[in-house]
Structures are given as C-alpha cells and as structure tokens.
Amino acid sequence: DVGASDAGTRLGLDGFGVRGGLDFTHNGRLAVGATLDLGQLFTSRLRLRASAELSVFNGPNVYVGSLETLYYFTGPAERTRPYAGLGLGLAGGAECSADPDCPDLWPNVVVGFELRFRPTFNWLLEYHGMDLLRENRIHVGLTTRAGG
C-alpha cells in the first residue's frame, strides 16, 4: 500500500549529495558542499537534511554546517522534483578566534529542483539563501534519490 509506506517519521541515513557553485555575496566565490538525507518527517515529501559548505577565494573562507527541512512538491517517482525548505546553519571562518560573534547562527532558505539522471541519482540545481538572505549561493550537483 503506497499510502502506508508514505506515512510516518523515519530517520536514518537515506542518501547523500555533493555540489558546487558560486557564492554571489562575495564576488563569485567558489562554494562547495555535501549533504546527507536524514529521513522523512511525517511523509516522504517532507525530508530532513544536514549539509556542510565551504566558500573559498575572493575573501575569507566561510564554513557552514546546516540542518534543514525540505518539502518536495512531487513524489519520489517523478522525473522532476521541485522543493523548498527552511533551516538553521552554524557559520564560522578563519577570523572566529578574534570575533566575539563567531560562530554565528544563520537562518536558511532553500529552493531548488532535482532532475532524474539515473535510477538512483538526480542532478540538482539549488538556491541557498543564508543569514537572512545576506549570503546567496547557487549550487549544481548530484544527489541520491530521496524518499523512494
């Protein structure tokens, strides 16, 4: 029964992803990262994700670890899966030893979509707005198919 397998909270390592892109806040710095799909919350369309990102070049390095909740607007069997979400990130950098406000807690906004590449992998394109949209990143990457 599809409805029965879709319901309920199931936490665990369900997948992973890697991505790269640009940090538009700081003159197009390189942004690279990885994600872990930590399971579903109440339904397979609501997913819990942990991520780690690094922005380098054209300024100080910035490190961010985030926990986000993503809502997928289509089911896991669809070829294209748009999503949006919210989360919190812990951000730091090389200057943290001299900055009393570092590390800092950043609210995150996530909007993107996944496009099926192989039966178990998707391409992804994602906008990641962090620190109340003061940090703006666009990512392209590969991820395992979540929720299916």
Side-chain angles (χ1 to χ4, degrees):
D1 180 23
V2 173
S5 66
D6 186 47
T9 297
R10 292 189 196 98
L11 300 178
L13 182 59
D14 283 351
F16 62 93
V18 293
R19 58 201 182 165
L22 294 176
D23 177 344
F24 288 100
T25 307
H26 302 282
N27 300 319
R29 289 192 310 185
L30 175 65
V32 295
T35 62
L36 297 175
D37 180 349
L38 300 178
Q40 72 182 35
L41 301 171
F42 312 113
T43 174
S44 65
R45 290 188 184 199
L46 191 61
R47 312 290 303 173
L48 185 63
R49 178 177 83 174
S51 65
E53 296 183 17
L54 167 66
S55 287
V56 294
F57 308 126
N58 295 332
N61 295 349
V62 176
Y63 314 96
V64 183
S66 299
L67 188 62
E68 298 153 341
T69 302
L70 304 179
Y71 180 78
Y72 285 85
F73 296 101
T74 60
E78 300 297 323
R79 179 168 174 75
T80 303
R81 297 193 69 201
Y83 59 89
L86 299 170
L88 286 174
L90 188 62
E95 311 82 37
C96 268
S97 61
D99 184 354
D101 294 326
C102 192
D104 197 10
L105 197 59
W106 286 1
N108 299 340
V109 173
V110 178
V111 178
F113 72 92
E114 297 178 6
L115 180 63
R116 183 178 298 138
F117 172 57
R118 297 275 189 242
T120 56
F121 284 95
N122 287 348
W123 287 108
L124 71 84
L125 178 64
E126 179 178 289
Y127 165 75
H128 209 172
M130 298 181 287
D131 194 21
L132 298 173
L133 303 179
R134 289 185 281 256
E135 299 280 332
N136 299 285
R137 298 176 181 171
I138 299 288
H139 295 285
V140 175
L142 281 172
T143 187
T144 54
R145 289 191 58 80

